[in-house]
């Protein structure tokens, strides 16, 4: 890739990540495997009471895998409201404190809805390996939501591992991501 093409690609990536719409996709190549978050080092993790046990085990799994983990709560199994913790995860990612976020509740649905109310967040509820790959590779998801009690812990480990290691493919997907971010810009 030429130096000026790389600069153009980085500019577009920065626009997508910051939530600004960019229609300048001509410098994109269909085999691009780059994302501004290619090197994921920091992961925010949160849960409600229903996802607490899975969160605690995933936190250890992530730390042992070399990630710096920021736990935003909850810190026990007392009943809490998932929107409070989903927002904390989303804000850690939006601010740049963490490159990715993971939120676990009873089903993952409500937390995904909450996270997607925050500008710049592309939260995906994933329930298997295929949805984890698709959410990263095609949709450039930066927050993963999970239904902790719905999966054995080994399956959660695998979903999280695959999601964090799968890179955004770029190419034809840029046009769709830009449209997604334009909708966010106009309506949120």
């Amino acid at each position: 890739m030429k130096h000026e093409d790389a600069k153009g690609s980085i500019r577009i990536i920065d626009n997508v990540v910051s939530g600004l719409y960019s229609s300048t996709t001509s410098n994109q190549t269909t085999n691009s495997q780059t994302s501004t978050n290619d090197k994921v080092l920091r992961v925010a993790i949160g849960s409600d009471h229903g996802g607490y046990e899975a969160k605690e085990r995933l936190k250890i799994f992530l730390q042992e895998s070399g990630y710096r983990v920021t736990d935003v709560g909850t810190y026990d199994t007392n009943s809490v409201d998932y929107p409070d913790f989903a927002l904390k995860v989303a804000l850690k990612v939006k601010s740049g404190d963490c490159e990715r976020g993971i939120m676990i509740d009873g089903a993952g649905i409500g937390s995904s809805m909450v996270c997607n109310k925050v500008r710049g967040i592309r939260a995906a509820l994933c329930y298997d390996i295929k949805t984890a790959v698709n959410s990263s590779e095609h949709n450039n998801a930066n927050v993963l939501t999970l239904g902790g009690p719905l999966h054995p812990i080994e399956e959660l480990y695998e979903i999280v591992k695959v999601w964090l290691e799968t890179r955004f493919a770029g190419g034809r997907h840029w046009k769709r991501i830009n449209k997604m971010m334009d909708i966010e810009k106009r309506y949120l």
Side-chain angles (χ1 to χ4, degrees):
M1 180 181 288
K2 292 185 214 171
H3 183 65
E4 64 186 54
D5 285 343
K7 280 185 176 179
S9 295
I10 290 169
R11 185 182 69 251
I12 293 166
I13 292 166
D14 287 342
N15 287 342
V16 169
V17 171
S18 67
L20 300 174
Y21 178 75
S22 172
S23 61
T24 57
T25 58
S26 61
N27 290 335
Q28 298 302 313
T29 58
T30 56
N31 62 355
S32 172
Q33 292 295 315
T34 60
S35 162
T36 57
N37 292 332
D38 263 350
K39 189 77 170 171
V40 177
L41 300 173
R42 300 163 299 170
V43 178
I45 192 165
S47 72
D48 68 358
H49 55 284
Y52 173 75
E53 297 296 333
K55 177 189 67 110
E56 290 301 302
R57 295 191 58 192
L58 281 168
K59 184 168 61 171
I60 293 166
F61 171 77
L62 291 167
Q63 290 167 334
E64 289 175 351
S65 298
Y67 296 98
R68 284 184 261 149
V69 179
T70 301
D71 185 346
V72 300
T74 191
Y75 303 108
D76 56 39
T77 56
N78 292 326
S79 183
V80 294
D81 298 325
Y82 65 83
D84 300 332
F85 300 96
L87 178 61
K88 289 179 181 184
V89 168
L91 291 176
K92 285 288 183 186
V93 174
K94 178 185 169 129
S95 72
D97 288 346
C98 296
E99 290 93 12
R100 296 284 187 275
I102 300 171
M103 177 63 195
I104 307 112
D105 65 20
I109 299 166
S111 289
S112 179
M113 291 173 161
V114 171
C115 289
N116 282 317
K117 300 292 184 190
V118 176
R119 276 186 185 252
I121 298 302
R122 292 173 304 281
L125 164 60
C126 296
Y127 49 86
D128 61 17
I129 300 302
K130 287 183 181 182
T131 55
V133 168
N134 184 279
S135 71
S136 289
E137 188 174 75
H138 296 189
N139 306 121
N140 202 17
N142 52 13
V143 173
L144 169 66
T145 66
L146 298 163
L150 303 179
H151 304 277
I153 193 63
E154 293 78 19
E155 187 176 8
L156 290 175
Y157 292 156
E158 190 64 24
I159 291 169
V160 166
K161 179 182 186 305
V162 167
W163 182 75
L164 287 169
E165 292 177 356
T166 301
R167 297 293 161 249
F168 179 53
R172 64 188 169 97
H173 303 291
W174 276 117
K175 178 176 135 185
R176 296 164 188 151
I177 298 300
N178 283 333
K179 285 183 177 187
M180 186 187 313
M181 300 313 287
D182 185 47
I183 291 167
E184 174 182 280
K185 182 179 170 185
R186 288 190 287 152
Y187 297 104
L188 275 185

